[in-house]
Amino acid sequence: MCEEKRFDKCVIFDLDGTLTKSEEGIFNCVRYAAEKMGLTAPQGEALRRFIGPPLMWGFQTQMGLSEEDAKQAVAFYRERYTTVGLLENRVYPGIRRLLRMLKAQGCYVAIATGKPQGPAERIIAHFGLTKYFDRIVGPTDSMGPEKEWLIRKALPETFGEAWMVGDRSFDVEGGHAAGIFSIGVGYGYGTEEELRGSGCDAYCETVQDLIDFLCPGQEAPEGVFLSIEGMDGSGKSTQIALLTDALDKFGFEVVHSREPGGCKVAEAIRRVLLDVNNVGMTDVTEALLYAASRAQHVREVIRPVVKSGKVLLCDRYVDSSVAYQGGGRQLGVQKILDINASAVDGTWPMTTVYLDIDRETSLKRRAAASVLDRIEMEKDDFHARTEAAYRELIARDPQRFVVVDATRTPGEIGDDIARQVLGRIMEAEK
Ligand code: TYD
C-alpha cells in the first residue's frame, strides 16, 4: 500500500548506534562465548571493537582464535544473543520524541539495518516502536547486507526529499549510493571525523540536534506526568531510580522532581514544613503551605517539562496532602482536595504508583532511620490514618493508581512497576 502513495519526506534510520545502543548485549554475549570456550574475555578497547564489524573478525583478531575456534565462539555468541542478548539494548533518549514528531509531520519513516531483519523487528517490537515505522529492512536469506540495497528497499516507490540517518561512514555512503541525502549522528559508534570524511550532508552531534534539523520549529508532542506515593519507608527512592532506568532504556527522557519542593520557592517552603523546630504550626497552615509549594511547582516545573515532551516523575504529589493532612491530621479528604484545587488547576498525573507496605514494616523502617523530619516523628495512629486516606484515594480513582506490593525484593517491585507503567505510557502514545 505504501508504494502507491507519494511521500514528500522520507527518513530512513540505521538501527545500532542510531536508534538503539546495543553494546550491553554485545559485550555480554562476547563474555558468554569466551566463558563457554574456557577463555578470558577481552576487555576495554578490545571488547569495544566487537561493535560493528563481523563477529568472526572480532573473535579472530581481538581474541586471537583460529578460524575453527572463532566459528564455535560465534555459535555460542548467537546462542545467547537470540534469546536474551538482543534485548539488552537501549533506545537513545529523545528518539521516541523524534519518531512521534516525524509521524506528526506525515513523514515516511523506515529502518535499513545491517542486523538481520528478524532480530531487528523483535528489538523494535520490544520497545513498542513498531507503530512508528512504515518498513523495517535488514538482511534476509535472499538479500545481503549491502547498505545501498537495504536503503533502496526501505524507501517507498515515489518520494520527494529523503534522508538516510546513521552513525557510521557506510550509512552515509550507502545513502548517497541509493541517491538520497545522508545525515551523520555523533552519539553512536562513529566519530565526527569519520562521518564528515565520508561526506555527510549534515552532521548532528546529539539527538536534540537531529530533532532540530528534521523538525525545525515543530512543537514537541505532549509528555507524561507520573507520581509515586507511599508511606514513609516504603522504598520510594530505590523505586524511582529503578523506574527511571527502565524508562530511559525505552528512550523516554525522565526528569525528576519532588514535593514539597522541586524549585526554589517550593524548596524554601519545604524547609519551613519539615523543620522540627516549627512545633507551633497549625494543621491548616501546614496544608496551605503544601498547597502553596505545589502551586509554584506545577507552573514552574511540571507543566513546562510535560509540554517539552518529556516524562516528569514526581516523588509525592497531591495524594500525599490528602493522606497526611487529610487523613493523618484529620482535616478530611475533601477539604484537602478543595484547598489544592486552585494549586493544581487540573494538572493530575496520568499514573500514580503506590508502594504498598503494611504499617509494621513502615514503622520498623522509620525506626531504623537516623534522622526523622517533623512528619515522620508523628505517632503511629497518625500514620494509620494516613494509610487509610491513601486507601480511600485509591478506591476513588482506581484507574490512575498502579498499586504494587512493596514488601518484595527491590528488583521484583521494580520489574512490576516498569511493566505496568511502560504498558500505560505506550498505550497512551497511540
Ligand atoms: P521527604 O523527605 O520527601 O520524605 P519521603 O522521602 O518519605 O517522601 O519528606 C516529605 C514528608 O512530607 C513526608 O513525611 C510526607 C510529607 N508530606 C505531607 O505531609 N504532605 C504533602 O503534601 C507532601 C508532598 C508530603
Side-chain angles (χ1 to χ4, degrees):
M1 246 165 59
C2 303
E3 280 85 350
E4 285 150 31
K5 197 173 157 200
R6 183 184 193 279
F7 289 91
D8 289 335
K9 182 169 166 185
C10 299
V11 181
I12 314 296
F13 289 97
D14 162 56
L15 181 57
D16 277 351
T18 302
L19 295 174
T20 59
K21 187 176 178 179
S22 51
E23 63 200 39
E24 188 189 334
I26 294 172
F27 293 170
N28 287 342
C29 292
V30 171
R31 290 189 190 110
Y32 174 83
E35 193 186 309
K36 283 282 209 176
M37 307 278 295
L39 300 167
T40 315
Q43 289 182 357
E45 203 37 50
L47 190 56
R48 283 191 62 79
R49 290 204 194 98
F50 275 81
I51 306 169
L55 289 168
M56 279 299 287
W57 176 90
F59 284 114
Q60 285 179 295
T61 62
Q62 304 307 306
M63 283 180 66
L65 300 190
S66 68
E67 191 177 338
E68 202 177 316
D69 283 349
K71 273 191 190 149
Q72 180 59 59
V74 170
F76 283 134
Y77 178 102
R78 293 233 162 93
E79 177 182 294
R80 187 178 184 281
Y81 188 77
T82 49
T83 47
V84 280
L86 95 163
L87 301 180
E88 289 168 339
N89 216 323
R90 307 181 84 91
V91 179
Y92 285 106
I95 285 295
R96 269 196 122 80
R97 184 156 52 94
L98 168 63
L99 293 172
R100 289 178 75 188
M101 291 170 82
L102 290 173
K103 276 288 134 192
Q105 284 179 21
C107 187
Y108 174 98
V109 184
I111 293 176
T113 173
K115 201 184 261 321
Q117 173 126 359
E121 282 171 353
R122 272 178 62 201
I123 291 168
I124 293 300
H126 170 72
F127 289 119
L129 295 173
T130 310
K131 56 183 177 269
Y132 295 118
F133 295 101
D134 294 281
R135 208 174 287 172
I136 297 172
V137 178
T140 57
D141 291 342
S142 60
M143 189 170 60
E146 293 79 29
K147 205 82 198 197
E148 175 191 347
W149 292 105
L150 295 166
I151 296 169
R152 285 190 190 278
K153 182 130 188 270
L155 285 164
E157 208 118 280
T158 49
F159 57 87
E161 136 196 353
W163 297 87
M164 173 67 202
V165 184
D167 68 315
R168 301 305 301 265
S169 56
F170 48 84
D171 296 316
V172 172
E173 287 153 6
H176 287 161
I180 64 175
F181 295 115
S182 292
I183 303 172
V185 294
Y187 54 81
Y189 300 112
T191 60
E192 178 172 357
E193 205 185 354
E194 168 187 337
L195 291 160
R196 289 206 191 271
S198 64
C200 58
D201 302 285
Y203 173 77
C204 295
E205 182 69 35
T206 63
V207 175
Q208 186 58 53
D209 291 344
L210 190 58
I211 292 173
D212 294 340
F213 184 80
L214 290 170
C215 316
Q218 188 180 337
E219 221 174 272
E222 181 87 343
V224 179
F225 175 22
L226 302 174
S227 65
I228 183 157
E229 296 277 351
M231 300 291 290
D232 295 298
S234 59
K236 278 190 289 99
S237 310
T238 307
Q239 291 309 323
I240 285 170
L242 291 176
L243 179 57
T244 302
D245 187 56
L247 288 165
D248 187 68
K249 234 184 218 163
F250 275 64
F252 292 103
E253 300 152 286
V254 184
V255 177
H256 290 154
S257 205
R258 66 165 181 188
E259 289 208 343
C263 53
K264 201 161 167 253
V265 170
E267 288 289 335
I269 300 174
R270 177 188 175 93
R271 284 191 286 279
V272 176
L273 276 164
L274 301 182
D275 186 347
V276 285
N277 298 314
N278 287 337
V279 277
M281 190 186 295
T282 72
D283 295 348
V284 178
T285 308
E286 180 180 288
L288 287 168
L289 283 175
Y290 277 112
S293 79
R294 187 163 295 129
Q296 187 72 26
H297 186 224
V298 164
R299 287 156 184 81
E300 200 175 317
V301 179
I302 298 177
R303 286 182 188 158
V305 169
V306 173
K307 192 166 184 291
S308 74
K310 299 184 178 166
V311 176
L312 190 285
L313 176 54
C314 197
D315 181 351
R316 300 191 179 280
Y317 191 56
V318 185
D319 301 311
S320 282
S321 280
V322 175
Y324 285 83
Q325 283 65 54
R329 300 274 188 236
Q330 295 179 287
L331 290 174
V333 166
Q334 197 51 52
K335 180 160 182 177
I336 298 302
L337 287 171
D338 292 345
I339 284 177
N340 278 276
S342 60
V344 305
D345 193 26
T347 297
W348 283 89
M350 179 190 96
T351 293
T352 299
V353 175
Y354 180 70
L355 297 175
D356 196 358
I357 50 163
D358 51 277
R359 222 168 319 131
E360 286 71 45
T361 311
S362 169
L363 190 66
K364 260 191 251 153
R365 291 189 188 165
R366 261 183 290 130
S370 48
V371 193
L372 296 179
D373 63 39
R374 213 172 50 83
I375 303 278
E376 287 166 334
M377 282 162 60
E378 282 297 330
K379 296 200 179 56
D380 197 36
D381 54 347
F382 170 93
H383 293 284
R385 288 194 302 271
T386 302
E387 190 191 348
Y390 266 130
R391 302 247 169 256
E392 186 180 333
L393 275 169
I394 294 162
R396 276 191 186 205
D397 197 358
Q399 308 281 38
R400 175 164 63 89
F401 283 94
V402 164
V403 179
V404 292
D405 171 3
T407 59
R408 295 170 292 170
T409 65
E412 284 169 336
I413 303 165
D415 288 347
D416 191 2
I417 294 174
R419 187 178 45 78
Q420 298 199 57
V421 171
L422 280 164
R424 286 180 183 216
I425 302 183
M426 292 199 284
E427 184 61 33
E429 262 184 356
K430 281 183 181 159

